[in-house]
Amino acid sequence: NYGDAYNLQGLIYARIGAQALAESSFRQALQINARDGDAMHNYGWYLCQLKRYPESNAMFAQALAVPQYRGVTRTLLAQGVCQAYAGQLAEAEATLTRAYQLDSANPFTATNLSEVLYRRGEYERARFYIRRVNAQPDVANAQTLWLAARIENKLGNRQGAFDFGAQLRN
């Protein structure tokens, strides 16, 4: 009767690809504690990985509706990424923007928001967020530099694209 154990068990089963057992574990965790935002978050992410996007979005929404839930920014990030996977770019932008407003220092949120804006053709706005990430040498990586190079290319800034490409090669 310990929901956290079933939640952890669900994560383990999901990781090893035992889908039926993972789903059963997450459901058991939520049956024990129907207000467990962490279990809802993990189950939502699991459903997203299975491309069960409407169910995933509903689970994230349930987690966010739990009073005093401490993982709000983490769940908003996951929900926004999942919405982007589903091709719901406007919804993803809104969700990731909300996550960014709550925690502007999170480079994962800024990178994913920038990627969504890039996919929507909002290159100047995408540039703003990815520049903030790439300005931190300990955070910038191949993914963020490549996104910056693609943005600069779309904006017609060949030198900027070249500079990011050189950083990427280095």
Side-chain angles (χ1 to χ4, degrees), residues 49-91:
Q49 299 307 299
L50 296 178
K51 299 181 180 174
R52 292 166 54 186
Y53 301 123
E55 294 170 83
S56 173
N57 198 48
M59 196 55 56
F60 289 135
Q62 280 184 306
L64 293 168
V66 173
Q68 288 85 36
Y69 173 52
R70 291 187 165 164
V72 171
T73 55
R74 175 179 62 113
T75 297
L76 287 170
L77 172 59
Q79 183 179 35
V81 168
C82 192
Q83 289 166 331
Y85 287 163
Q88 301 169 323
L89 298 181
E91 294 86 349

mmCIF file of all heavy atoms in Angstrom, residues 49-91:
data_model
loop_
_atom_site.group_PDB
_atom_site.id
_atom_site.type_symbol
_atom_site.label_atom_id
_atom_site.label_comp_id
_atom_site.label_asym_id
_atom_site.label_seq_id
_atom_site.Cartn_x
_atom_site.Cartn_y
_atom_site.Cartn_z
ATOM 1 N N GLN A 49 5.535 8.997 -24.278
ATOM 2 C CA GLN A 49 6.515 8.166 -24.977
ATOM 3 C C GLN A 49 5.838 7.115 -25.853
ATOM 4 O O GLN A 49 6.394 6.683 -26.865
ATOM 5 C CB GLN A 49 7.456 7.481 -23.982
ATOM 6 C CG GLN A 49 8.257 8.439 -23.128
ATOM 7 C CD GLN A 49 9.013 9.465 -23.944
ATOM 8 O OE1 GLN A 49 9.857 9.123 -24.755
ATOM 9 N NE2 GLN A 49 8.691 10.736 -23.756
ATOM 10 N N LEU A 50 4.627 6.720 -25.466
ATOM 11 C CA LEU A 50 3.850 5.755 -26.247
ATOM 12 C C LEU A 50 3.007 6.444 -27.325
ATOM 13 O O LEU A 50 2.230 5.792 -28.008
ATOM 14 C CB LEU A 50 2.940 4.938 -25.326
ATOM 15 C CG LEU A 50 3.630 4.049 -24.301
ATOM 16 C CD1 LEU A 50 2.591 3.352 -23.427
ATOM 17 C CD2 LEU A 50 4.542 3.039 -24.967
ATOM 18 N N LYS A 51 3.143 7.760 -27.437
ATOM 19 C CA LYS A 51 2.401 8.584 -28.392
ATOM 20 C C LYS A 51 0.900 8.582 -28.128
ATOM 21 O O LYS A 51 0.102 8.771 -29.033
ATOM 22 C CB LYS A 51 2.718 8.176 -29.836
ATOM 23 C CG LYS A 51 4.177 8.350 -30.166
ATOM 24 C CD LYS A 51 4.498 7.979 -31.586
ATOM 25 C CE LYS A 51 5.995 8.212 -31.779
ATOM 26 N NZ LYS A 51 6.488 7.789 -33.018
ATOM 27 N N ARG A 52 0.556 8.402 -26.888
ATOM 28 C CA ARG A 52 -0.842 8.492 -26.455
ATOM 29 C C ARG A 52 -1.051 9.907 -25.928
ATOM 30 O O ARG A 52 -1.242 10.133 -24.735
ATOM 31 C CB ARG A 52 -1.132 7.410 -25.416
ATOM 32 C CG ARG A 52 -1.091 6.019 -26.029
ATOM 33 C CD ARG A 52 -1.026 4.889 -25.039
ATOM 34 N NE ARG A 52 -2.066 4.893 -24.019
ATOM 35 C CZ ARG A 52 -2.096 4.034 -23.003
ATOM 36 N NH1 ARG A 52 -1.152 3.104 -22.876
ATOM 37 N NH2 ARG A 52 -3.060 4.093 -22.113
ATOM 38 N N TYR A 53 -0.958 10.859 -26.858
ATOM 39 C CA TYR A 53 -0.883 12.267 -26.507
ATOM 40 C C TYR A 53 -2.097 12.812 -25.756
ATOM 41 O O TYR A 53 -1.914 13.532 -24.769
ATOM 42 C CB TYR A 53 -0.586 13.099 -27.749
ATOM 43 C CG TYR A 53 0.711 12.721 -28.416
ATOM 44 C CD1 TYR A 53 0.749 12.326 -29.752
ATOM 45 C CD2 TYR A 53 1.921 12.733 -27.710
ATOM 46 C CE1 TYR A 53 1.939 11.978 -30.361
ATOM 47 C CE2 TYR A 53 3.110 12.375 -28.319
ATOM 48 C CZ TYR A 53 3.114 11.998 -29.651
ATOM 49 O OH TYR A 53 4.297 11.643 -30.254
ATOM 50 N N PRO A 54 -3.323 12.519 -26.160
ATOM 51 C CA PRO A 54 -4.453 13.070 -25.397
ATOM 52 C C PRO A 54 -4.472 12.583 -23.940
ATOM 53 O O PRO A 54 -4.719 13.367 -23.019
ATOM 54 C CB PRO A 54 -5.687 12.578 -26.164
ATOM 55 C CG PRO A 54 -5.190 12.350 -27.561
ATOM 56 C CD PRO A 54 -3.779 11.855 -27.399
ATOM 57 N N GLU A 55 -4.187 11.296 -23.726
ATOM 58 C CA GLU A 55 -4.146 10.764 -22.365
ATOM 59 C C GLU A 55 -3.002 11.393 -21.568
ATOM 60 O O GLU A 55 -3.152 11.706 -20.385
ATOM 61 C CB GLU A 55 -3.956 9.248 -22.388
ATOM 62 C CG GLU A 55 -5.116 8.474 -22.974
ATOM 63 C CD GLU A 55 -4.743 7.016 -23.170
ATOM 64 O OE1 GLU A 55 -4.847 6.262 -22.178
ATOM 65 O OE2 GLU A 55 -4.327 6.654 -24.284
ATOM 66 N N SER A 56 -1.879 11.574 -22.239
ATOM 67 C CA SER A 56 -0.720 12.178 -21.602
ATOM 68 C C SER A 56 -1.037 13.603 -21.155
ATOM 69 O O SER A 56 -0.773 13.987 -20.015
ATOM 70 C CB SER A 56 0.458 12.180 -22.572
ATOM 71 O OG SER A 56 1.541 12.900 -22.052
ATOM 72 N N ASN A 57 -1.610 14.372 -22.053
ATOM 73 C CA ASN A 57 -1.951 15.759 -21.742
ATOM 74 C C ASN A 57 -2.931 15.828 -20.576
ATOM 75 O O ASN A 57 -2.799 16.686 -19.690
ATOM 76 C CB ASN A 57 -2.527 16.446 -22.988
ATOM 77 C CG ASN A 57 -2.486 17.946 -22.878
ATOM 78 O OD1 ASN A 57 -1.469 18.529 -22.518
ATOM 79 N ND2 ASN A 57 -3.602 18.576 -23.185
ATOM 80 N N ALA A 58 -3.890 14.917 -20.554
ATOM 81 C CA ALA A 58 -4.863 14.886 -19.456
ATOM 82 C C ALA A 58 -4.173 14.567 -18.126
ATOM 83 O O ALA A 58 -4.507 15.154 -17.087
ATOM 84 C CB ALA A 58 -5.952 13.859 -19.753
ATOM 85 N N MET A 59 -3.211 13.665 -18.158
ATOM 86 C CA MET A 59 -2.511 13.297 -16.928
ATOM 87 C C MET A 59 -1.670 14.469 -16.421
ATOM 88 O O MET A 59 -1.642 14.752 -15.221
ATOM 89 C CB MET A 59 -1.647 12.056 -17.171
ATOM 90 C CG MET A 59 -1.176 11.369 -15.927
ATOM 91 S SD MET A 59 -2.448 10.869 -14.732
ATOM 92 C CE MET A 59 -3.536 9.854 -15.702
ATOM 93 N N PHE A 60 -0.995 15.173 -17.343
ATOM 94 C CA PHE A 60 -0.238 16.360 -16.939
ATOM 95 C C PHE A 60 -1.172 17.411 -16.334
ATOM 96 O O PHE A 60 -0.851 18.027 -15.320
ATOM 97 C CB PHE A 60 0.527 16.954 -18.123
ATOM 98 C CG PHE A 60 1.696 16.145 -18.595
ATOM 99 C CD1 PHE A 60 1.893 15.924 -19.947
ATOM 100 C CD2 PHE A 60 2.616 15.602 -17.703
ATOM 101 C CE1 PHE A 60 2.979 15.191 -20.401
ATOM 102 C CE2 PHE A 60 3.705 14.863 -18.144
ATOM 103 C CZ PHE A 60 3.886 14.662 -19.493
ATOM 104 N N ALA A 61 -2.321 17.609 -16.961
ATOM 105 C CA ALA A 61 -3.290 18.593 -16.456
ATOM 106 C C ALA A 61 -3.762 18.213 -15.060
ATOM 107 O O ALA A 61 -3.917 19.089 -14.196
ATOM 108 C CB ALA A 61 -4.467 18.713 -17.419
ATOM 109 N N GLN A 62 -3.971 16.929 -14.821
ATOM 110 C CA GLN A 62 -4.373 16.478 -13.485
ATOM 111 C C GLN A 62 -3.281 16.787 -12.462
ATOM 112 O O GLN A 62 -3.572 17.234 -11.356
ATOM 113 C CB GLN A 62 -4.665 14.982 -13.482
ATOM 114 C CG GLN A 62 -6.020 14.615 -14.011
ATOM 115 C CD GLN A 62 -6.255 13.119 -13.877
ATOM 116 O OE1 GLN A 62 -5.459 12.304 -14.338
ATOM 117 N NE2 GLN A 62 -7.343 12.762 -13.242
ATOM 118 N N ALA A 63 -2.038 16.528 -12.826
ATOM 119 C CA ALA A 63 -0.929 16.804 -11.904
ATOM 120 C C ALA A 63 -0.873 18.291 -11.581
ATOM 121 O O ALA A 63 -0.698 18.679 -10.415
ATOM 122 C CB ALA A 63 0.396 16.331 -12.501
ATOM 123 N N LEU A 64 -1.036 19.123 -12.591
ATOM 124 C CA LEU A 64 -0.959 20.573 -12.390
ATOM 125 C C LEU A 64 -2.122 21.101 -11.554
ATOM 126 O O LEU A 64 -2.011 22.178 -10.951
ATOM 127 C CB LEU A 64 -0.902 21.285 -13.749
ATOM 128 C CG LEU A 64 0.364 21.025 -14.551
ATOM 129 C CD1 LEU A 64 0.208 21.524 -15.983
ATOM 130 C CD2 LEU A 64 1.576 21.651 -13.879
ATOM 131 N N ALA A 65 -3.218 20.351 -11.507
ATOM 132 C CA ALA A 65 -4.387 20.775 -10.738
ATOM 133 C C ALA A 65 -4.308 20.396 -9.264
ATOM 134 O O ALA A 65 -5.139 20.829 -8.480
ATOM 135 C CB ALA A 65 -5.647 20.178 -11.357
ATOM 136 N N VAL A 66 -3.298 19.619 -8.895
ATOM 137 C CA VAL A 66 -3.152 19.203 -7.490
ATOM 138 C C VAL A 66 -2.649 20.398 -6.678
ATOM 139 O O VAL A 66 -1.581 20.953 -6.981
ATOM 140 C CB VAL A 66 -2.176 18.008 -7.364
ATOM 141 C CG1 VAL A 66 -1.889 17.693 -5.899
ATOM 142 C CG2 VAL A 66 -2.714 16.787 -8.086
ATOM 143 N N PRO A 67 -3.390 20.801 -5.642
ATOM 144 C CA PRO A 67 -2.926 21.923 -4.816
ATOM 145 C C PRO A 67 -1.566 21.617 -4.172
ATOM 146 O O PRO A 67 -1.294 20.484 -3.802
ATOM 147 C CB PRO A 67 -4.014 22.047 -3.739
ATOM 148 C CG PRO A 67 -5.204 21.352 -4.316
ATOM 149 C CD PRO A 67 -4.676 20.266 -5.207
ATOM 150 N N GLN A 68 -0.738 22.607 -4.098
ATOM 151 C CA GLN A 68 0.601 22.508 -3.500
ATOM 152 C C GLN A 68 1.516 21.498 -4.199
ATOM 153 O O GLN A 68 2.480 21.014 -3.610
ATOM 154 C CB GLN A 68 0.539 22.180 -1.994
ATOM 155 C CG GLN A 68 0.057 23.310 -1.125
ATOM 156 C CD GLN A 68 -1.459 23.371 -1.045
ATOM 157 O OE1 GLN A 68 -2.120 22.345 -1.031
ATOM 158 N NE2 GLN A 68 -1.999 24.570 -1.007
ATOM 159 N N TYR A 69 1.225 21.171 -5.453
ATOM 160 C CA TYR A 69 2.116 20.282 -6.208
ATOM 161 C C TYR A 69 3.417 21.029 -6.449
ATOM 162 O O TYR A 69 3.426 22.152 -6.949
ATOM 163 C CB TYR A 69 1.452 19.863 -7.524
ATOM 164 C CG TYR A 69 2.346 19.075 -8.450
ATOM 165 C CD1 TYR A 69 3.022 17.941 -8.005
ATOM 166 C CD2 TYR A 69 2.519 19.457 -9.773
ATOM 167 C CE1 TYR A 69 3.835 17.213 -8.846
ATOM 168 C CE2 TYR A 69 3.319 18.732 -10.632
ATOM 169 C CZ TYR A 69 3.981 17.611 -10.170
ATOM 170 O OH TYR A 69 4.785 16.885 -11.010
ATOM 171 N N ARG A 70 4.530 20.420 -6.115
ATOM 172 C CA ARG A 70 5.830 21.088 -6.179
ATOM 173 C C ARG A 70 6.542 20.946 -7.518
ATOM 174 O O ARG A 70 7.544 21.601 -7.748
ATOM 175 C CB ARG A 70 6.733 20.566 -5.070
ATOM 176 C CG ARG A 70 6.248 20.996 -3.712
ATOM 177 C CD ARG A 70 7.230 20.610 -2.674
ATOM 178 N NE ARG A 70 6.936 21.335 -1.451
ATOM 179 C CZ ARG A 70 7.402 21.017 -0.287
ATOM 180 N NH1 ARG A 70 8.215 19.994 -0.167
ATOM 181 N NH2 ARG A 70 7.095 21.724 0.773
ATOM 182 N N GLY A 71 6.046 20.101 -8.382
ATOM 183 C CA GLY A 71 6.732 19.864 -9.646
ATOM 184 C C GLY A 71 6.120 20.599 -10.822
ATOM 185 O O GLY A 71 6.215 20.129 -11.958
ATOM 186 N N VAL A 72 5.503 21.739 -10.576
ATOM 187 C CA VAL A 72 4.770 22.445 -11.625
ATOM 188 C C VAL A 72 5.653 22.754 -12.836
ATOM 189 O O VAL A 72 5.275 22.451 -13.973
ATOM 190 C CB VAL A 72 4.115 23.737 -11.077
ATOM 191 C CG1 VAL A 72 3.545 24.593 -12.198
ATOM 192 C CG2 VAL A 72 3.022 23.380 -10.072
ATOM 193 N N THR A 73 6.823 23.345 -12.635
ATOM 194 C CA THR A 73 7.651 23.721 -13.793
ATOM 195 C C THR A 73 8.144 22.481 -14.538
ATOM 196 O O THR A 73 8.190 22.477 -15.769
ATOM 197 C CB THR A 73 8.842 24.603 -13.380
ATOM 198 O OG1 THR A 73 9.595 23.954 -12.366
ATOM 199 C CG2 THR A 73 8.380 25.954 -12.886
ATOM 200 N N ARG A 74 8.470 21.438 -13.814
ATOM 201 C CA ARG A 74 8.915 20.188 -14.442
ATOM 202 C C ARG A 74 7.785 19.583 -15.282
ATOM 203 O O ARG A 74 8.003 19.121 -16.402
ATOM 204 C CB ARG A 74 9.364 19.216 -13.349
ATOM 205 C CG ARG A 74 9.739 17.842 -13.809
ATOM 206 C CD ARG A 74 10.186 16.981 -12.632
ATOM 207 N NE ARG A 74 9.131 16.792 -11.665
ATOM 208 C CZ ARG A 74 8.548 15.634 -11.425
ATOM 209 N NH1 ARG A 74 8.934 14.544 -12.046
ATOM 210 N NH2 ARG A 74 7.588 15.542 -10.532
ATOM 211 N N THR A 75 6.576 19.616 -14.754
ATOM 212 C CA THR A 75 5.435 19.061 -15.481
ATOM 213 C C THR A 75 5.074 19.929 -16.677
ATOM 214 O O THR A 75 4.750 19.410 -17.747
ATOM 215 C CB THR A 75 4.241 18.861 -14.528
ATOM 216 O OG1 THR A 75 4.626 17.907 -13.536
ATOM 217 C CG2 THR A 75 3.015 18.356 -15.260
ATOM 218 N N LEU A 76 5.147 21.243 -16.522
ATOM 219 C CA LEU A 76 4.889 22.123 -17.671
ATOM 220 C C LEU A 76 5.910 21.880 -18.775
ATOM 221 O O LEU A 76 5.554 21.858 -19.964
ATOM 222 C CB LEU A 76 4.910 23.592 -17.236
ATOM 223 C CG LEU A 76 3.708 24.066 -16.430
ATOM 224 C CD1 LEU A 76 3.974 25.452 -15.850
ATOM 225 C CD2 LEU A 76 2.443 24.059 -17.279
ATOM 226 N N LEU A 77 7.169 21.695 -18.418
ATOM 227 C CA LEU A 77 8.196 21.391 -19.415
ATOM 228 C C LEU A 77 7.867 20.090 -20.136
ATOM 229 O O LEU A 77 7.867 20.029 -21.368
ATOM 230 C CB LEU A 77 9.577 21.315 -18.762
ATOM 231 C CG LEU A 77 10.732 20.811 -19.643
ATOM 232 C CD1 LEU A 77 10.916 21.686 -20.871
ATOM 233 C CD2 LEU A 77 12.011 20.725 -18.820
ATOM 234 N N ALA A 78 7.567 19.052 -19.386
ATOM 235 C CA ALA A 78 7.249 17.757 -19.992
ATOM 236 C C ALA A 78 6.001 17.852 -20.868
ATOM 237 O O ALA A 78 5.957 17.309 -21.979
ATOM 238 C CB ALA A 78 7.064 16.700 -18.907
ATOM 239 N N GLN A 79 4.996 18.548 -20.386
ATOM 240 C CA GLN A 79 3.760 18.697 -21.153
ATOM 241 C C GLN A 79 4.027 19.461 -22.454
ATOM 242 O O GLN A 79 3.543 19.074 -23.518
ATOM 243 C CB GLN A 79 2.704 19.420 -20.321
ATOM 244 C CG GLN A 79 1.362 19.549 -21.021
ATOM 245 C CD GLN A 79 0.328 20.252 -20.161
ATOM 246 O OE1 GLN A 79 0.648 21.165 -19.388
ATOM 247 N NE2 GLN A 79 -0.918 19.832 -20.270
ATOM 248 N N GLY A 80 4.816 20.529 -22.374
ATOM 249 C CA GLY A 80 5.140 21.301 -23.571
ATOM 250 C C GLY A 80 5.919 20.487 -24.592
ATOM 251 O O GLY A 80 5.650 20.551 -25.794
ATOM 252 N N VAL A 81 6.873 19.708 -24.124
ATOM 253 C CA VAL A 81 7.650 18.842 -25.024
ATOM 254 C C VAL A 81 6.723 17.825 -25.670
ATOM 255 O O VAL A 81 6.804 17.563 -26.875
ATOM 256 C CB VAL A 81 8.803 18.160 -24.260
ATOM 257 C CG1 VAL A 81 9.430 17.054 -25.083
ATOM 258 C CG2 VAL A 81 9.853 19.196 -23.860
ATOM 259 N N CYS A 82 5.836 17.252 -24.886
ATOM 260 C CA CYS A 82 4.905 16.258 -25.410
ATOM 261 C C CYS A 82 3.958 16.888 -26.437
ATOM 262 O O CYS A 82 3.674 16.291 -27.479
ATOM 263 C CB CYS A 82 4.124 15.624 -24.258
ATOM 264 S SG CYS A 82 3.201 14.169 -24.746
ATOM 265 N N GLN A 83 3.489 18.078 -26.159
ATOM 266 C CA GLN A 83 2.632 18.779 -27.118
ATOM 267 C C GLN A 83 3.388 19.034 -28.418
ATOM 268 O O GLN A 83 2.818 18.899 -29.509
ATOM 269 C CB GLN A 83 2.119 20.083 -26.520
ATOM 270 C CG GLN A 83 1.097 19.870 -25.422
ATOM 271 C CD GLN A 83 0.832 21.120 -24.606
ATOM 272 O OE1 GLN A 83 1.706 21.986 -24.440
ATOM 273 N NE2 GLN A 83 -0.374 21.229 -24.065
ATOM 274 N N ALA A 84 4.655 19.369 -28.327
ATOM 275 C CA ALA A 84 5.467 19.568 -29.535
ATOM 276 C C ALA A 84 5.607 18.259 -30.305
ATOM 277 O O ALA A 84 5.498 18.245 -31.533
ATOM 278 C CB ALA A 84 6.831 20.142 -29.170
ATOM 279 N N TYR A 85 5.855 17.154 -29.595
ATOM 280 C CA TYR A 85 5.923 15.841 -30.244
ATOM 281 C C TYR A 85 4.634 15.554 -31.009
ATOM 282 O O TYR A 85 4.657 14.964 -32.087
ATOM 283 C CB TYR A 85 6.122 14.715 -29.228
ATOM 284 C CG TYR A 85 7.473 14.598 -28.592
ATOM 285 C CD1 TYR A 85 7.620 13.843 -27.434
ATOM 286 C CD2 TYR A 85 8.606 15.217 -29.102
ATOM 287 C CE1 TYR A 85 8.849 13.706 -26.808
ATOM 288 C CE2 TYR A 85 9.836 15.090 -28.487
ATOM 289 C CZ TYR A 85 9.944 14.323 -27.345
ATOM 290 O OH TYR A 85 11.163 14.185 -26.732
ATOM 291 N N ALA A 86 3.509 15.964 -30.424
ATOM 292 C CA ALA A 86 2.199 15.705 -31.025
ATOM 293 C C ALA A 86 1.891 16.666 -32.175
ATOM 294 O O ALA A 86 0.856 16.542 -32.820
ATOM 295 C CB ALA A 86 1.114 15.800 -29.959
ATOM 296 N N GLY A 87 2.781 17.635 -32.404
ATOM 297 C CA GLY A 87 2.558 18.609 -33.470
ATOM 298 C C GLY A 87 1.662 19.762 -33.053
ATOM 299 O O GLY A 87 1.240 20.551 -33.895
ATOM 300 N N GLN A 88 1.363 19.870 -31.778
ATOM 301 C CA GLN A 88 0.522 20.949 -31.258
ATOM 302 C C GLN A 88 1.425 22.117 -30.853
ATOM 303 O O GLN A 88 1.634 22.392 -29.676
ATOM 304 C CB GLN A 88 -0.285 20.446 -30.059
ATOM 305 C CG GLN A 88 -1.185 19.283 -30.379
ATOM 306 C CD GLN A 88 -1.760 18.659 -29.124
ATOM 307 O OE1 GLN A 88 -1.096 18.562 -28.096
ATOM 308 N NE2 GLN A 88 -3.005 18.220 -29.210
ATOM 309 N N LEU A 89 1.956 22.805 -31.854
ATOM 310 C CA LEU A 89 2.982 23.804 -31.594
ATOM 311 C C LEU A 89 2.465 25.033 -30.854
ATOM 312 O O LEU A 89 3.172 25.575 -30.009
ATOM 313 C CB LEU A 89 3.675 24.196 -32.897
ATOM 314 C CG LEU A 89 4.405 23.054 -33.614
ATOM 315 C CD1 LEU A 89 5.073 23.563 -34.881
ATOM 316 C CD2 LEU A 89 5.414 22.390 -32.692
ATOM 317 N N ALA A 90 1.254 25.472 -31.142
ATOM 318 C CA ALA A 90 0.713 26.638 -30.435
ATOM 319 C C ALA A 90 0.531 26.317 -28.954
ATOM 320 O O ALA A 90 0.883 27.123 -28.076
ATOM 321 C CB ALA A 90 -0.612 27.075 -31.052
ATOM 322 N N GLU A 91 0.007 25.132 -28.665
ATOM 323 C CA GLU A 91 -0.175 24.716 -27.280
ATOM 324 C C GLU A 91 1.176 24.539 -26.590
ATOM 325 O O GLU A 91 1.352 24.925 -25.437
ATOM 326 C CB GLU A 91 -0.973 23.409 -27.205
ATOM 327 C CG GLU A 91 -2.409 23.530 -27.673
ATOM 328 C CD GLU A 91 -2.583 23.367 -29.180
ATOM 329 O OE1 GLU A 91 -1.570 23.362 -29.929
ATOM 330 O OE2 GLU A 91 -3.733 23.265 -29.615
#
